[in-house]
Amino acid sequence: MGASAAAGLVGAAGALPAVPWGYVRGLVGFTLVQAGLSTALSIGIGAAVALALARRTRFPGRGLVLALMDLAFVLPAVVVIFGVVAVWGRSGLLGDLGALFGLSIGRWLYGLPGILIAHAVFNAPFAARVFLAALEAVPAEHWRLASHLGMGPGAVFRLIDRPVLLREAPGIAGFVFLLCFTSFPVVLALGGGPGTATLEVAIYEAIRSEADFGRAAVLAAVQIAACLVLVGLLAAAERRPAETGESGWRQARPDTAAAGLKLLDGAALTVGAVLVVLPIAAVAVSGATAAGSLAAPAVLRALATSLTIAVPASLLSVALALALATLSRSLRLDRGRRRLAQGVRLAGFVTLVVPPFALAAGLFVAIRPFADPFTLGGPMIVVVNALVALPYAIRRIEPPLMLAGERYGRLAASLGIRGLDRLRLVDAPLVRPALAAALAIAGVLSFGDLGVAAFFGTGNLVTLPVLLYQRLGSYRMDEAAAIALLLAAVSLAGFLVARRLGGGLDARPL
């Protein structure tokens, strides 16, 4: 798919242009800088919040904090952008508070600082949840031994917490870096100009604004090469330790009573609340005051369009994920072809390497000789959104499917249970919750898509995220707030379905 997209772009261009490599180096340089800083900020805040939550297992609102951290990762990007502007913007909450003291807080938001804040809102909660899951998986025997040895807070961190954080950090950092490297909506909305453009934004502008498919092909090739290197590093850095047996009982940590750590943990949780809770709360409060505008025909049409795209996109994504995971399992367990099985699995992660706009543009130029691509914008958005959600769907479906094969595969083969009968009778009890969770997560991601919908969108094809972006661009903030609240509410409903049926969002990086 990635090769065909690139070939389509080259074919549309006729010949690759002489793109100034100084321009390309500038794009790559800024993309790397913002991704690196965003990753460092997200990992630092996430580790501090995770340690605080691991030590403070009981305080009012802890469950709500965990739910909001999970929600932040699946919220539509345009909703997070609106929340960041509502809190950090010149006329936002902190901007108004700073004005009381003669400070101008929001003037610097558009540019690198705004990009870093928005990326941290997305990724710091994700990092915190991964770190927290690892810290909570430390066997109770370790904490009991630490208590018997009289370990102080410094020794506990050095001998228990730090090794766990360092074990998980490379995989998390690689995944977060890749997400920030390919970020589009955040940079488009908060970048502030050409000086803060990334490769993804430059590809979009080359195709959508200038129809320069040759330049888009060159930039897409650069991004694909860079992402391939990053994915290779991510695969090499990811380490999954063997499962450790536990006694089943729980043991309190011996460092929870230290007064200094209480202050440190309080500060970390405060930073996390300002970073994550305030933007979500700002969306809720601002949207509630203008909820009456949600009855407007344009909003209802956009909602119907988004749902019409999200439902088939999620079904297609889960179907592809199930097919790839089943084929990978068959190659690995039944035929012993592990390398080929790994190749099939990695095929589902294509959109972590190939820019979605390159995929969209490949479809665009392939269809253009036969039909007007914009008349087929809806189906094309469905296909690209399904591919974008595919890595998340595979990440949910593959582990229980593989577990079912390891436990019951030989028995099913000896009884002659194959094909759909095996899926229904053998795999379904273990895989059904993961399928439901993958369906909900893929639906939420497709429902909140801005990038591909903005690429193919026309006057007759406007989704809720595109409508919100248009309202923000025309400074109709009340209507934008109401649309953001609607997006968040629908996304939350899908997220709750995923938690109910899938046992919580996956806390491991891809």
Side-chain angles (χ1 to χ4, degrees):
M1 179 67 73
S4 63
L9 288 175
V10 173
L16 292 178
V19 178
W21 287 108
Y23 167 72
V24 175
R25 284 196 299 269
L27 289 174
V28 173
F30 179 76
T31 304
L32 290 172
V33 167
Q34 65 84 17
L37 292 176
S38 297
T39 301
L41 185 63
S42 300
I43 294 296
I45 295 176
V49 171
L51 284 170
L53 290 171
R55 297 187 190 107
R56 314 300 158 192
T57 57
R58 294 182 180 179
F59 63 85
R62 187 179 188 272
L64 178 61
V65 170
L66 293 176
L68 290 176
M69 287 168 56
D70 284 335
L71 176 61
F73 186 65
V74 298
L75 270 179
V78 69
V79 175
V80 173
I81 292 166
F82 179 86
V84 168
V85 173
V87 173
W88 297 90
R90 181 179 299 182
S91 58
L93 175 63
L94 296 182
D96 293 340
L97 184 63
L100 297 177
F101 300 94
L103 302 176
S104 182
I105 293 180
R107 295 181 61 183
W108 45 263
L109 180 64
Y110 294 95
L112 182 59
I115 294 172
L116 297 182
I117 292 174
H119 281 165
V121 172
F122 274 118
N123 297 312
F126 169 75
R129 289 297 274 145
V130 178
F131 282 134
L132 180 61
L135 291 169
E136 290 179 339
V138 172
E141 290 84 351
H142 290 191
W143 300 120
R144 187 180 186 185
L145 180 60
S147 298
H148 285 330
L149 294 176
M151 286 187 183
V156 167
F157 176 78
R158 186 176 67 257
L159 299 176
I160 299 179
D161 290 331
R162 188 173 65 179
V164 173
L165 296 177
L166 292 178
R167 184 192 69 203
E168 298 291 338
I172 304 171
F175 182 54
V176 170
F177 188 92
L178 194 61
L179 291 178
C180 296
F181 188 86
T182 58
S183 175
F184 170 75
V186 168
V187 181
L188 181 66
L190 298 176
T196 54
T198 60
L199 284 167
E200 195 89 359
V201 172
I203 293 170
Y204 168 78
E205 292 175 346
I207 296 173
R208 182 67 173 176
S209 303
E210 304 172 22
D212 190 344
F213 293 101
R215 179 154 60 95
V218 173
L219 296 176
V222 171
Q223 178 156 329
I224 291 171
C227 289
L228 282 173
V229 173
L230 293 174
V231 168
L233 294 175
L234 173 59
E238 186 178 11
R239 290 172 286 176
R240 298 195 182 279
E243 295 293 330
T244 303
E246 297 188 47
S247 61
W249 43 264
R250 296 297 176 188
Q251 176 74 31
R253 293 174 56 112
D255 58 348
T256 56
L261 282 184
K262 289 182 179 179
L263 294 176
L264 186 62
D265 292 344
L269 292 175
T270 300
V271 171
V274 170
L275 188 66
V276 177
V277 178
L278 278 185
I280 297 176
V283 170
V285 173
S286 301
T289 60
S293 62
L294 295 178
V299 177
L300 297 178
R301 284 196 301 270
L303 174 62
T305 300
S306 294
L307 292 174
T308 302
I309 290 172
V311 172
S314 59
L315 290 172
L316 177 59
S317 183
V318 169
L320 291 172
L322 182 61
L324 289 172
T326 303
L327 178 58
S328 177
R329 180 184 69 172
S330 177
L331 291 170
R332 180 182 295 271
L333 298 182
D334 300 337
R335 305 180 189 179
R337 306 186 66 177
R338 292 181 174 271
R339 290 187 178 181
L340 184 57
Q342 182 68 4
V344 170
R345 177 181 180 270
L346 291 178
F349 293 78
V350 62
T351 52
L352 291 180
V353 176
V354 181
F357 288 123
L359 293 174
L363 288 173
F364 184 94
V365 299
I367 292 174
R368 193 170 59 170
F370 310 101
D372 181 6
F374 290 109
T375 62
L376 300 175
M380 293 168 72
I381 294 174
V382 168
V383 171
V384 177
N385 278 342
L387 293 175
V388 170
L390 185 57
Y392 302 91
I394 288 180
R395 189 62 183 86
R396 287 296 307 191
I397 293 170
E398 185 190 34
L401 191 67
M402 191 66 67
L403 180 62
E406 292 170 347
R407 286 183 178 178
Y408 312 117
R410 292 184 179 179
L411 177 61
S414 66
L415 295 175
I417 303 176
R418 297 181 178 86
L420 293 178
D421 288 336
R422 177 175 175 177
L423 179 63
R424 179 173 56 89
L425 299 174
V426 179
D427 298 331
L430 286 175
V431 179
R432 186 184 296 114
L435 283 174
L439 190 67
I441 294 170
V444 169
L445 292 173
S446 180
F447 183 77
D449 167 66
L450 171 64
V452 178
F455 179 83
F456 284 113
T458 62
N460 298 323
L461 183 63
V462 177
T463 63
L464 270 182
V466 173
L467 185 63
L468 172 56
Y469 184 73
Q470 291 174 351
R471 294 296 185 266
L472 286 173
S474 57
Y475 298 99
R476 297 162 66 175
M477 303 306 293
D478 290 341
E479 296 179 28
I483 296 171
L485 178 61
L486 179 60
L487 269 168
V490 176
S491 301
L492 177 60
F495 169 75
L496 292 176
V497 170
R499 282 187 63 87
R500 181 68 179 270
L501 298 179
L505 292 178
D506 200 336
R508 288 271 184 184
L510 296 178

